[in-house]
């Protein structure tokens, strides 16, 4: 009979060892369960010698429990450091594989409320392998049975004003894990299930619901064994404890992910859905948002007599309040541009007065340009904003603008306008300060890097304003805009004059 051994510290050095996860050897030979476990505590196998003194038995069990708790603590500490749904699912899969003694597995994220996001990731399985597993009828696969076992979410709109109040929903029932000891002999399996198992080379599986009474159903995880097997009661207990903790962590990350998606959606809805088509000029824009959504914005609107108004700006702060202020400011600037767009200084003066009267605690930067594409003429004014950059075959240079304070910082804002005439084929880049600050460099260094990035645009790409903008962004931010890092938004508006 096997001797008692804690998880992570097998005493039989010749016993087969399963793969380690996260540097923690949490595997143990699977002893038969012959002693009823104590309530709420992982059980241990009885000693091989029934004549051992009771004190030795107790010490052995206590050592086993302490080892198990230490392993769970280390695994949950690693899990809680993950800050994305994908990262948490991968960490959970790897740790769970060690706890149940498996080598491969997959996790399916499919919240019961139907609001998403949904995803499927694998451990030791290629993308094609996951696709093959998904060809198994949902009712035959263990993870599919777990996903379909809980009641449906409340109907859309329940409990909202104008609808009958929804009755309090009882806590969701959490289904039991599903163990298939031998796919070849298990009763009730679809033939396709056995075919897929034979093709991928697994003989058994253990599926765990990612669900709790409080969080509801978020998904399921299934681990695959190369030989017929199933975890003993002790391993089931450990993976059950870890699975509940992982589910609560995933629920928190799901709320954050949905909040970020809502903020991004609101920000996009407050900006132009498409850029206008005006003869003589081609436009392209790139807008990258941070996790909380900033107040950076842009606009391009056709004006009378073939003119075009171009604007970029940034409102102080982040989150919903900054987004709302950005929407109000952009809408006001549009109105002022239609009325007096030929005078950019008057447009920004009106905007500054509005900001000071309606939102005295907030400041903003803005740049407005009145462009006449047919004459290739631009008149612009800026309030605390970075100067535009002209990119062409014969020059790459910043437009010389006068130094001015942001809107809302002085009792009365005023700054002279600047006029420039782009040559045929030149592109004018308007951008927000976030593009410079996201580089992490000092201001002078960031401006120098932006100039170098614009100057290095390949000649073949200079005829396309979108390609120019993409090259500048790739050069300045080679890793892209990390959505998990707090910081300002980035706006880059490119206008190429024919």
């Amino acid at each position: 009979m096997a001797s008692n051994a804690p998880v992570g510290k097998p005493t039989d050095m010749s016993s087969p060892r399963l793969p380690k996860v996260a540097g923690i050897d949490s595997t143990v030979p699977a002893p038969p369960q012959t002693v009823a476990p104590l309530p709420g505590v992982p059980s241990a196998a009885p000693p091989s010698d029934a004549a051992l003194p009771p004190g030795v038995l107790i010490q052995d069990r206590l050592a086993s429990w302490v080892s198990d708790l230490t392993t769970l603590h280390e695994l949950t500490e690693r899990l809680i450091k993950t800050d994305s749904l994908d990262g948490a699912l991968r960490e959970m899969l790897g740790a769970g594989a060690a706890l149940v003694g498996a080598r491969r597995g997959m996790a399916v994220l499919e919240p019961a409320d139907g609001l998403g996001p949904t995803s499927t990731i694998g451990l030791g399985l290629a993308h094609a392998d996951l696709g093959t597993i998904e060809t198994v009828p949902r009712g035959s696969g263990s993870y599919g049975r777990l996903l379909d076992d809980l009641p449906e979410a409340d109907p859309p709109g329940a409990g909202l004003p104008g609808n009958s109040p929804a009755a309090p929903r009882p806590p969701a029932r959490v289904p039991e894990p599903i163990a298939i000891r031998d796919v070849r002999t298990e009763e009730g399996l679809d033939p396709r299930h056995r075919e897929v198992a034979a093709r991928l080379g697994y003989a058994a599986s253990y599926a765990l619901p990612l669900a709790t009474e409080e969080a509801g159903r978020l998904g399921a995880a299934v681990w695959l064994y190369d030989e017929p097997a199933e975890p003993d009661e002790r391993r089931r207990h450990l993976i059950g404890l870890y699975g509940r903790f992982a589910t609560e962590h995933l629920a928190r990350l799901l709320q954050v992910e949905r909040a970020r998606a809502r903020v991004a959606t609101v920000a996009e809805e407050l900006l132009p859905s498409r850029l206008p088509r005006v003869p003589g000029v081609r436009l392209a824009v790139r807008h990258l948002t941070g996790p909380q959504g900033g107040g950076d914005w842009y606009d391009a609107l056709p004006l009378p007599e073939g003119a075009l108004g171009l604007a970029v700006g940034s409102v102080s702060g982040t989150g919903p309040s900054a987004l709302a202020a950005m929407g109000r400011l952009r809408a006001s600037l549009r109105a002022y541009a239609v009325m007096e767009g030929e005078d950019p200084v008057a447009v920004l003066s009106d905007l500054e007065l509005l900001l000071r009267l309606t939102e005295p605690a907030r400041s903003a930067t803005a740049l407005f340009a009145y462009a006449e594409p047919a004459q290739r003429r631009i008149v612009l004014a800026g309030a605390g904003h970075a100067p535009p950059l002209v990119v062409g075959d014969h020059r790459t240079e910043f437009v010389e603008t006068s130094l001015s304070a942001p809107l809302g910082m002085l009792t009365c804002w005023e700054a002279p306008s600047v006029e420039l005439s782009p040559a045929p084929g030149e592109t004018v880049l308007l951008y927000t300060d976030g593009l410079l600050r996201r580089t992490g460099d000092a201001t002078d260094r960031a401006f120098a890097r932006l100039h170098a990035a614009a100057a290095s645009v390949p000649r073949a790409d200079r005829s396309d304003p979108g390609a120019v903008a993409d090259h500048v962004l790739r050069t300045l931010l080679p890793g892209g805009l990390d959505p998990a890092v707090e910081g300002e938004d980035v706006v880059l508006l490119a206008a190429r004059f024919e």
Side-chain angles (χ1 to χ4, degrees):
M1 181 175 290
S3 60
N4 177 42
V7 170
K9 299 180 181 179
T11 57
D12 187 354
M13 300 303 294
S14 63
S15 61
R17 297 175 64 84
L18 294 168
K20 294 183 180 181
V21 172
I24 299 170
D25 184 3
S26 56
T27 62
V28 61
Q33 181 65 46
T34 58
V35 178
L38 297 176
V41 182
S43 60
S48 57
D49 188 358
L52 286 177
V56 176
L57 259 174
I58 294 175
Q59 289 180 0
D60 198 29
R61 289 187 181 183
L62 287 176
S64 175
W65 298 336
V66 169
S67 177
D68 291 350
L69 291 175
T70 300
T71 297
L72 284 175
H73 174 73
E74 292 175 348
L75 292 177
T76 53
E77 282 290 306
R78 290 184 63 89
L79 178 65
I80 205 169
K81 292 178 182 179
T82 59
D83 56 6
S84 68
L85 286 172
D86 185 76
L89 286 171
R90 295 187 185 279
E91 176 65 27
M92 181 272 302
L93 260 184
L99 290 175
V100 302
R103 188 171 62 89
R104 294 180 290 172
M106 62 181 289
V108 179
L109 182 68
E110 189 177 301
D113 57 14
L115 300 179
T118 61
S119 65
T120 301
I121 65 171
L123 172 69
L125 296 171
H127 183 72
D129 297 335
L130 296 176
T132 301
I133 293 176
E134 290 177 348
T135 64
V136 176
R138 189 175 174 100
S140 177
S142 53
Y143 75 89
R145 287 151 59 188
L146 291 177
L147 293 177
D148 294 338
D149 197 25
L150 293 180
E152 296 296 325
D154 292 331
L160 296 178
N163 298 316
S164 58
R169 185 177 177 184
R173 182 180 70 83
V174 178
E176 294 296 324
I178 298 176
I180 300 179
R181 180 174 179 78
D182 191 339
V183 175
R184 294 169 298 181
T185 61
E186 184 79 10
E187 296 182 0
L189 292 186
D190 189 278
R192 179 59 181 169
H193 193 160
R194 303 186 203 277
E195 179 184 342
V196 168
R199 178 182 301 180
L200 299 182
Y202 70 88
S205 65
Y206 185 75
L208 182 76
L210 299 177
T212 63
E213 291 81 358
E214 295 78 15
R217 186 204 75 202
L218 301 184
V222 57
W223 291 276
L224 309 176
Y225 297 88
D226 296 340
E227 302 292 339
E230 66 177 313
D232 59 18
E233 187 173 349
R234 180 153 157 250
R235 290 179 182 271
R236 288 175 184 248
H237 187 85
L238 290 175
I239 191 60
L241 292 174
Y242 181 78
R244 285 193 288 274
F245 181 88
T247 300
E248 295 296 336
H249 182 60
L250 287 170
R252 291 188 290 270
L253 292 178
L254 183 64
Q255 292 178 353
V256 173
E257 182 70 21
R258 287 177 172 177
R260 289 174 179 173
R262 287 193 291 268
V263 168
T265 300
V266 171
E268 293 300 325
E269 290 297 325
L270 290 174
L271 296 173
S273 58
R274 61 183 180 86
L275 297 175
R277 294 180 178 271
V278 177
V281 64
R282 294 172 58 195
L283 302 174
V285 67
R286 300 294 183 264
H287 181 211
L288 308 177
T289 59
Q292 293 188 358
D296 286 19
W297 52 276
Y298 65 91
D299 208 346
L301 65 156
L303 296 174
E305 300 180 359
L308 176 69
L310 301 173
V312 292
S314 177
V315 175
S316 60
T318 59
S321 62
L323 290 175
M326 177 265 285
R328 292 190 293 267
L329 207 64
R330 172 179 167 266
S332 300
L333 184 141
R334 279 193 146 224
Y336 300 145
V338 171
M339 293 187 295
E340 47 193 353
E342 296 184 22
D343 186 356
V345 172
V347 172
L348 293 186
S349 296
D350 293 343
L351 196 64
E352 195 276 338
L353 178 61
L354 176 73
L355 184 69
R356 183 154 45 88
L357 293 177
T358 60
E359 302 185 59
R362 194 179 296 277
S363 63
T365 66
L367 186 147
F368 178 73
Y370 177 81
E372 296 175 303
Q375 289 77 33
R376 291 195 302 278
R377 173 177 174 269
I378 299 177
V379 181
L380 62 88
H385 208 82
L389 181 61
V390 180
V391 182
D393 292 336
H394 304 291
R395 64 169 175 169
T396 300
E397 60 186 27
F398 290 102
V399 178
E400 293 188 8
T401 58
S402 58
L403 184 64
S404 61
L407 303 176
M409 297 293 289
L410 301 177
T411 303
C412 181
W413 175 90
E414 186 174 354
S417 61
V418 175
E419 183 174 330
L420 68 146
S421 298
E426 288 188 331
T427 299
V428 179
L429 298 178
L430 310 181
Y431 51 93
T432 58
D433 293 341
L435 178 63
L436 302 173
R437 293 197 176 101
R438 281 283 187 169
T439 63
D441 294 326
T443 302
D444 292 345
R445 172 64 177 163
F447 273 116
R449 288 186 57 190
L450 173 59
H451 184 278
S456 66
V457 175
R459 286 186 176 273
D461 292 340
R462 294 190 178 185
S463 60
D464 182 359
V468 173
D470 290 335
H471 177 86
V472 170
L473 287 177
R474 284 195 307 268
T475 306
L476 287 182
L477 306 174
L481 193 65
D482 189 347
V485 176
E486 296 290 343
E488 297 183 58
D489 293 356
V490 172
V491 168
L492 183 58
L493 178 62
R496 183 183 188 276
F497 289 81
E498 304 296 341

